[in-house]
Amino acid sequence: MVNKVATIIQARMGSSRLPGKIMKRIGKKELLWYSANRASKAKLVNDTIIATTVDSRDNTVFDWCKTNGFPVFRGSEKDVLDRYYNCAKEFGANIIVRLTSDNPFCDPEIVDQLVLELKKSKSDYVSNRVTKRTWPYGLDAEVFTFKALKHAWEQANKEHQREHVTPYILEHSEYFRLLEVPLDENLSNFRLSIDYPEDFEMCKVLIEGYNAHEMNWREIIDLLKKHPELVEINASRIDSKL
């Protein structure tokens, strides 16, 4: 059977820390565009899908996807595991890449690396962050098989297991073959995710001032190493448990 790989990006307007952040504009584009556009460049992925919710607030996300040509799926707001399962099932995905819409610097090279590792190792789940963070915040990605996702969907019965998609898999290594892909260098002092106003400000500076959305992740980190003043913009959020 030919593997169909789908990147599913969870996206909703109801963020508690920075409401409506995915539709906030940076330059001429919305934050969601940067995440979806970069993710769609992965060579080993067949579909890049936005998985939003049936909540009326997310009509905006649905309409945006239609206007910008991204496949979209609507599902449960709280049960994100159910949303992912039904999205993957509808699009016929055998392998799923999980990304979030508030990571505008997600890197297609990382996605391809993890997909390849999953296939080569015949693992059920591969991620660049499982036990300890070495990658910069905002470059996290998870790849897992539909079989593992279905097992989790059928068996997960705790709130956090339904809300965050993969906890059941990570908590039951007796059922799943798990693989972590860490970095040799610890770069966890760099924060490229967008959860707080300071994060958004840094993202805005990187994109509007340096065209960082056109760089790969190594080039972005090299830029930040050369300009430590940029890192200071959201340095106070590094220890946030996200």
Side-chain angles (χ1 to χ4, degrees):
M1 181 175 64
V2 176
N3 284 324
K4 181 177 181 182
V5 183
T7 292
I8 301 177
I9 304 175
Q10 61 192 70
R12 65 187 183 95
M13 294 293 286
S15 169
S16 58
R17 300 179 189 88
L18 197 58
K21 62 184 175 182
I22 62 174
M23 287 299 148
K24 288 182 177 292
R25 294 179 71 87
I26 298 176
K28 296 181 180 180
K29 299 291 185 179
E30 297 81 8
L31 181 61
L32 178 57
W33 182 87
Y34 294 100
S35 303
N37 184 63
R38 284 177 69 93
S40 69
K41 296 183 184 302
K43 296 178 181 178
L44 299 182
V45 173
N46 303 107
D47 291 317
T48 300
I49 307 152
I50 309 299
T52 191
T53 85
V54 294
D55 188 281
S56 60
R57 291 175 296 180
D58 291 320
N59 292 344
T60 302
V61 179
F62 180 82
D63 293 341
W64 181 92
C65 290
K66 292 298 184 181
T67 300
N68 287 273
F70 285 100
V72 61
F73 176 86
R74 302 190 79 165
S76 172
E77 180 180 15
K78 300 296 184 182
D79 191 344
V80 190
L81 174 56
D82 183 75
R83 196 193 317 168
Y84 264 74
Y85 170 75
N86 281 295
C87 178
K89 185 178 180 181
E90 179 170 311
F91 283 86
N94 306 108
I95 296 174
I96 296 93
V97 180
R98 176 176 175 257
L99 297 175
T100 57
S101 55
D102 52 6
N103 289 341
F105 301 109
C106 63
D107 197 284
E109 179 184 321
I110 295 173
V111 169
D112 283 336
Q113 178 185 1
L114 297 180
V115 170
L116 188 60
E117 289 288 352
L118 183 101
K119 292 180 176 181
K120 285 171 52 181
S121 66
K122 300 187 186 307
S123 296
D124 300 299
Y125 171 99
V126 175
S127 178
N128 55 357
R129 182 199 173 193
V130 178
T131 60
K132 182 180 179 181
R133 177 179 292 281
T134 55
W135 291 78
Y137 288 77
L139 297 183
D140 301 346
E142 297 178 296
V143 182
F144 41 88
T145 64
F146 180 77
K147 183 178 179 181
L149 178 63
K150 183 179 180 183
H151 186 161
W153 178 76
E154 291 173 339
Q155 300 297 323
N157 55 17
K158 297 179 181 178
E159 184 177 353
H160 75 282
Q161 294 172 343
R162 309 298 305 192
E163 184 182 358
H164 297 293
V165 186
T166 57
Y168 180 88
I169 296 174
L170 294 172
E171 292 166 9
H172 291 279
S173 58
E174 70 271 25
Y175 300 140
F176 308 105
R177 289 164 292 180
L178 310 178
L179 178 66
E180 184 171 20
V181 182
L183 280 174
D184 293 333
E185 180 183 4
N186 186 349
L187 298 176
S188 60
N189 58 314
F190 296 104
R191 183 176 172 85
L192 296 171
S193 62
I194 314 297
D195 291 292
Y196 300 98
E198 299 96 321
D199 298 329
F200 186 82
E201 179 58 29
M202 181 184 183
C203 176
K204 188 177 177 69
V205 170
L206 286 176
I207 290 175
E208 294 182 353
Y210 296 90
N211 292 318
H213 58 293
E214 298 178 355
M215 301 178 181
N216 64 41
W217 75 269
R218 293 183 182 87
E219 292 170 331
I220 295 172
I221 296 304
D222 286 343
L223 172 66
L224 294 176
K225 287 179 177 180
K226 292 176 183 176
H227 296 277
E229 70 276 9
L230 299 177
V231 179
E232 288 301 312
I233 295 173
N234 64 348
S236 64
R237 295 300 185 178
I238 287 294
D239 293 328
S240 299
K241 294 181 179 180
L242 296 169

